[in-house]
Amino acid sequence: MDVQKYLARIGCSGPCPPTLDTLRYVHLNHLSTVPFENLTIHIGERVRLELPHLYEKIVSMRRGGFCFEMNGLFSWLLSQLGFVVTILSGQVRNRFTGAYGPPFDHFIIMVKLDGHRWLCDVGFGSGFQLPLSLETDSPQVQSHGVYRLRTQGKMVFMEMNSETEVPVSAEGFCWKEVYKFTLEPRERDDFKAMCEYHQTSASSLFFCKSLCSLLLPTGRITIMGRKLTVTSLASKDQRNTTKTTEELSDEEITEILGEKFGIVLPSPLTPKDVEIMPPPAIY
């Protein structure tokens, strides 16, 4: 890996020693510059997880990816910068059925730094912006939302504040479970089967919907199928958001992918947005 080329790809400059400031810096910059996208699946190609291939795709070709790709490559960068990195397996809660996916459904990262554990995730889409402390279950307020890590036995639940429901906690938050995980160390090869599943299953969001999304300073921009959605925070101090949506032609999709996401695809895209088949419930 050419570390400096990777850092330049995500807009990071200057020395990057293995400190908390650096961890926050590269995490936020990654989310702000590298799109969360699954377009490889929808141009008739296959997602591959070999690190040299991921580096070529994300750094050299300036593409994005989904969790197995994004966190797979980001964990390598963190290791090269001198951080102590542990790969973890997450299970994402299906927003339609409320059921959790199987183990290895989501690739996430734990970093140990000065006796403190941090959860990193640049491959979830609309997740947290900065690493979350694993040493507390208190709310962690960030620029685009409020998050917490709640431990129950050996399981840790990543939760975010839901503004659409009635607050139920002492802090005035209503918590929505996003995914769950344990702290058991995993290997990269452990995720190969689930990566294949997400490319081929009618129960997978990634197979059923073509998408490309990027964190903005004031919100998020997303293309799903032929629909462009821009979400904006109402103000710096409020969590309420406004959302605009418009339908795009194939030509407009290509144009916006280039202008807003910096993506030029090597093959024609077939936009897709079909109903997801509910998977078997796993709790």
Side-chain angles (χ1 to χ4, degrees), residues 29-48:
N29 274 43
H30 205 292
L31 288 167
S32 303
T33 56
V34 183
F36 177 76
E37 52 107 336
N38 67 340
L39 302 180
T40 293
I41 301 170
H42 301 284
I43 60 173
E45 299 182 0
R46 307 299 294 171
V47 172
R48 295 168 49 193

Side-chain angles (χ1 to χ4, degrees), residues 74-261:
F74 187 60
S75 62
W76 189 23
L77 173 66
L78 294 180
S79 296
Q80 292 294 304
L81 292 175
F83 290 99
V84 178
V85 174
T86 302
I87 296 170
L88 304 178
S89 162
Q91 297 170 251
V92 178
R93 187 174 186 268
N94 188 293
R95 62 178 179 175
F96 303 104
T97 67
Y100 281 94
F104 307 108
D105 187 42
H106 187 44
F107 185 125
I108 49 181
I109 306 164
M110 179 174 68
V111 170
K112 294 181 180 178
L113 183 63
D114 298 329
H116 200 111
R117 299 168 302 168
W118 299 91
L119 180 68
C120 297
D121 188 353
V122 297
F124 191 72
S126 57
F128 49 89
Q129 301 82 60
L130 298 170
L132 293 176
S133 171
L134 277 156
E135 307 301 336
T136 179
D137 61 0
S138 297
Q140 301 185 51
V141 180
Q142 298 191 2
S143 60
H144 288 45
V146 184
Y147 310 87
R148 77 172 179 183
L149 297 175
R150 176 177 60 86
T151 301
Q152 183 176 321
K154 293 184 178 181
M155 195 67 68
V156 183
F157 292 82
M158 198 286 275
E159 302 175 334
M160 65 182 300
N161 178 38
S162 173
E163 299 167 336
T164 61
E165 301 177 29
V166 178
V168 295
S169 71
E171 301 89 358
F173 298 120
C174 180
W175 295 107
K176 178 176 68 174
E177 295 175 7
V178 181
Y179 56 76
K180 64 181 181 179
F181 59 97
T182 70
L183 301 183
E184 180 181 351
R186 306 294 189 173
E187 301 295 332
R188 296 179 187 277
D189 287 348
D190 295 337
F191 296 87
K192 286 184 175 180
M194 282 306 298
C195 182
E196 180 65 21
Y197 164 85
H198 280 300
Q199 299 182 73
T200 58
S201 172
S203 295
S204 172
L205 166 74
F206 301 109
F207 177 77
C208 294
K209 302 178 186 293
S210 57
L211 62 92
C212 185
S213 184
L214 188 66
L215 181 72
L216 303 176
T218 58
R220 176 169 290 277
I221 181 172
T222 301
I223 297 177
M224 181 176 288
R226 289 186 169 85
K227 186 177 296 182
L228 172 67
T229 301
V230 179
T231 304
S232 301
L233 299 177
S235 73
K236 186 175 182 180
D237 299 320
Q238 296 175 354
R239 302 300 172 196
N240 295 326
T241 60
T242 58
K243 183 181 295 186
T244 62
T245 302
E246 63 177 291
E247 294 290 330
L248 302 175
S249 66
D250 288 357
E251 293 75 16
E252 288 172 326
I253 291 174
T254 299
E255 182 178 334
I256 291 175
L257 283 176
E259 290 183 355
K260 302 297 184 181
F261 300 94

